[in-house]
Amino acid sequence: QVQLVESGGGLVQPGGSLRLSCAASGSIFSINVMGWYRQAPGKQRELVAIIISGGSTTYVDSVKGRFTISRDNAKNTVYLQMNSLKPEDTAVYYCKVVARLGNLLPLRDYWGQGTQVTVSS
């Protein structure tokens, strides 16, 4: 019973910035991982950034130094600050949460609905 609601996408010029948000709600026992994926036209979905429960982060090489993933544990919300955006960042961005609904239940993946990010002049 996990629901993810994404917001913050839109149209931006090259070099601009956007901040994506993803809020998780429902009967969540624990969240192990929160992250962002993206799927560009004609491309497979790829990992963009992940933040684990201990706070460690991982980024795909193409966004290192430009994107920052963060979280607000009290709100069960993950953010993606995107700076110096490039046309190749254009994609549908999906939030993903790996969570348990109980301490004896297995980890499962939960996905947001996706939000469009378009970088164009």
Side-chain angles (χ1 to χ4, degrees):
Q1 298 185 4
V2 177
Q3 295 176 315
L4 305 179
V5 179
E6 301 181 33
S7 62
L11 174 64
V12 65
Q13 295 182 359
S17 298
L18 286 173
R19 188 190 190 214
L20 306 183
S21 299
C22 175
S25 62
S27 300
I28 303 171
F29 178 78
S30 65
I31 297 176
N32 286 39
V33 179
M34 304 185 81
W36 293 93
Y37 290 69
R38 67 186 180 186
Q39 188 163 20
K43 302 292 182 64
Q44 294 186 353
R45 188 174 299 186
E46 69 169 349
L47 171 69
V48 178
I50 283 178
I51 185 166
I52 65 174
S53 59
S56 298
T57 58
T58 301
Y59 300 89
V60 67
D61 286 345
S62 61
V63 309
K64 288 181 179 177
R66 300 189 297 120
F67 291 10
T68 302
I69 188 170
S70 61
R71 65 184 181 184
D72 184 335
N73 290 334
K75 298 180 179 179
N76 280 344
T77 299
V78 63
Y79 306 93
L80 186 67
Q81 179 67 47
M82 304 184 294
N83 299 325
S84 301
L85 283 162
K86 305 175 181 179
E88 51 262 46
D89 295 317
T90 296
V92 177
Y93 283 71
Y94 296 91
C95 175
K96 175 185 168 182
V97 169
V98 182
R100 297 181 187 270
L101 301 185
N103 67 333
L104 299 180
L105 297 177
L107 291 165
R108 292 182 178 272
D109 294 350
Y110 301 91
W111 292 89
Q113 80 280 5
T115 185
Q116 177 70 49
V117 172
T118 302
V119 184
S120 176
S121 59

